[in-house]
Amino acid sequence: MAGFLDRERTVAGPGFNRWMVPPAALCIHLCIGQVYAFSVFNLPMTRLIGVTESAPGDWKLTTLGWIFSISIVCLGLAAAFAGSWLERVGPRKAMLLSATCFGGGFLVSALGIWLHVIWLVYLGYGVLGGIGLGIGYISPVSTLIKWFPDRPGMATGMAIMGFGGGAMIGSPLAVGLMAFFSGPESVGVAPTFVTMGLIYFTFMTIGALLVRLPPEGWLPAGYQPPAESGKLITTAHVHVDEALKTPQFYLVWMVLFLNVSAGIGVLGQASAMSQEMMPGKIEAAAAAGFVGLLSIFNMAGRFIWASASDYLGRKNTYLVFFALGMALYAAVPPAAAMGSVVLYVLCYCVIMSMYGGGFATVPAYLKDLFGTMHVGAIHGRLLTAWAAAGVMGPVLINYIREFQIEAGVPKAQAYTVTMYIMVGLLFLGLICNALIRAVDSRHHHSEPDTGGSRL
């Protein structure tokens, strides 16, 4: 079995169709994207004992909120530390480990729910599931870039689009399963976790079995790689450890951090924020629809913007993200003040498309700057920006809102200062992006890339 999982056993044979690789990546990303739908479990898990309403021994929402936070932190750490290991062992072994951790995390959490032991849930979905998230997120990226050197943005966009859309599957699946398993004495959460864990493990394993690496020296028919490096697109390669010594890595880190910080807080508070900024215009049911619409734009933006970056260039694409994002965030408070629901919703839909597009475009940006040799490991290190932004964004939204309300500002205007702070963050991102230049040749790897021989 170990031999079957080895990197050498994943090299594609003659006639292999490269379009089989994006579905393998989607098998992973559509599953782990369920993390965006974890909130559907929160309220039922506050009624595990009381069933119809919370009992004295039931968990509080503040206690349950740590599950998601732990999983995102472990995602960032796993992506950062497992990147170099992934380079050595190849995508199949990494994707199978991701399936085992993510699916197993559900099973451990189910035991914690059944025993009503919260630390088991933290360990299961938070730690094990988070490790599965991080490894699964980065495992297909380098492989896709190698199969699609002619369209790296489109290729990574296809996979990472799945992560954005995973909640659209995970949310109704979880709700339907809880309804099926619930009864007079149970809200059905534990058996739902078991079922989802087994389903996700199965589909992620299918992805691991489907994935292939291109043979050494393989190129798409009719594609001729550039003989010389372009303005920002290198034909050389940079080792992951050497990449951390370049200013380009930290500039791209800031670019991702600032783009994600501006969007992730909005994504997490979209329902409450829309109702408070547009009182009487957006009610609870409409706010739920608004959240669903944002998810669609988040998902679609990952594919559309990443594909567009193949033509616009990665630096120009981020220029659009920051410049247009600044205009849209600045337009939100006036739109709310005017009571224009259409303009308000339109601004946030485009903002969310660029939030998702930033995630999907950055792997190709790294490929342009550092080559393909260690792009998976470099991408893993870069995702620490996501973990940092996951703290920064919600803090800006929640704590500034609370400070404003305590100062006597009406709820409808409590987000105005935050929106203008977002404009400032995006302006900083615009500057960081403008400072990015080609990596100096002294950082280039001394040995030529071996095409399919590395991940």
Side-chain angles (χ1 to χ4, degrees), residues 146 216-217 235-238 372-374 444-454:
K146 280 186 164 52
E216 183 176 337
T235 57
H237 303 277
V238 180
T372 59
M373 187 177 71
H374 282 172
H444 292 168
H445 197 260
S446 57
E447 299 176 9
D449 182 46
T450 54
S453 67
R454 292 178 181 265

Side-chain angles (χ1 to χ4, degrees), residues 53-108:
E53 60 183 22
S54 294
D58 269 316
W59 294 325
K60 298 182 182 298
L61 277 175
T62 50
T63 302
L64 297 171
W66 283 103
I67 303 170
F68 178 81
S69 298
I70 292 170
S71 70
I72 294 299
V73 169
C74 289
L75 182 160
L77 294 175
F81 288 105
S84 297
W85 171 79
L86 166 62
E87 302 287 357
R88 296 193 303 272
V89 303
R92 180 177 290 165
K93 189 175 289 186
M95 290 163 80
L96 188 59
L97 177 61
S98 171
T100 303
C101 289
F102 191 65
F106 273 95
L107 300 184
V108 173

Side-chain angles (χ1 to χ4, degrees), residues 238-401:
V238 180
H239 191 279
V240 58
D241 295 332
E242 194 66 25
L244 298 182
K245 301 175 184 177
T246 67
Q248 285 83 357
F249 176 84
Y250 298 99
L251 286 171
V252 177
W253 193 98
M254 288 298 298
V255 161
L256 183 65
F257 169 72
L258 293 165
N259 188 61
V260 173
S261 293
I264 198 167
V266 170
L267 192 62
Q269 294 296 328
S271 177
M273 185 174 64
S274 62
Q275 293 177 70
E276 290 181 344
M277 292 189 76
M278 304 286 287
K281 298 280 187 178
I282 299 179
E283 303 296 342
F290 175 57
V291 173
L293 191 62
L294 292 184
S295 297
I296 292 172
F297 274 81
N298 177 16
M299 178 181 67
R302 293 168 187 252
F303 178 72
I304 293 171
W305 284 112
S307 298
S309 75
D310 287 328
Y311 301 97
L312 297 175
R314 257 55 80 171
K315 188 172 183 177
N316 288 336
T317 302
Y318 272 97
L319 170 64
V320 174
F321 290 165
F322 291 124
L324 181 57
M326 288 167 62
L328 292 173
Y329 272 112
V332 166
M338 292 187 298
S340 176
V341 174
V342 173
L343 181 58
Y344 179 88
V345 171
L346 180 62
C347 286
Y348 275 126
C349 283
V350 178
I351 285 170
M352 280 300 108
S353 79
M354 296 189 295
Y355 165 80
F359 277 116
T361 303
V362 81
Y365 209 163
L366 295 174
K367 175 261 180 191
D368 290 349
L369 292 167
F370 301 107
T372 59
M373 187 177 71
H374 282 172
V375 70
I378 297 169
H379 184 220
R381 305 286 175 90
L382 193 82
L383 289 182
T384 54
W386 185 3
V391 176
M392 169 74 88
V395 163
L396 286 176
I397 291 287
N398 298 330
Y399 285 90
I400 294 177
R401 168 194 173 274

Side-chain angles (χ1 to χ4, degrees), residues 10 16 20-21 24 91-92 95 140 143 206-213:
T10 63
F16 180 80
M20 291 293 293
V21 179
R92 180 177 290 165
M95 290 163 80
T143 307
I206 291 172
L209 297 177
L210 288 176
V211 75
R212 296 289 188 279
L213 283 167

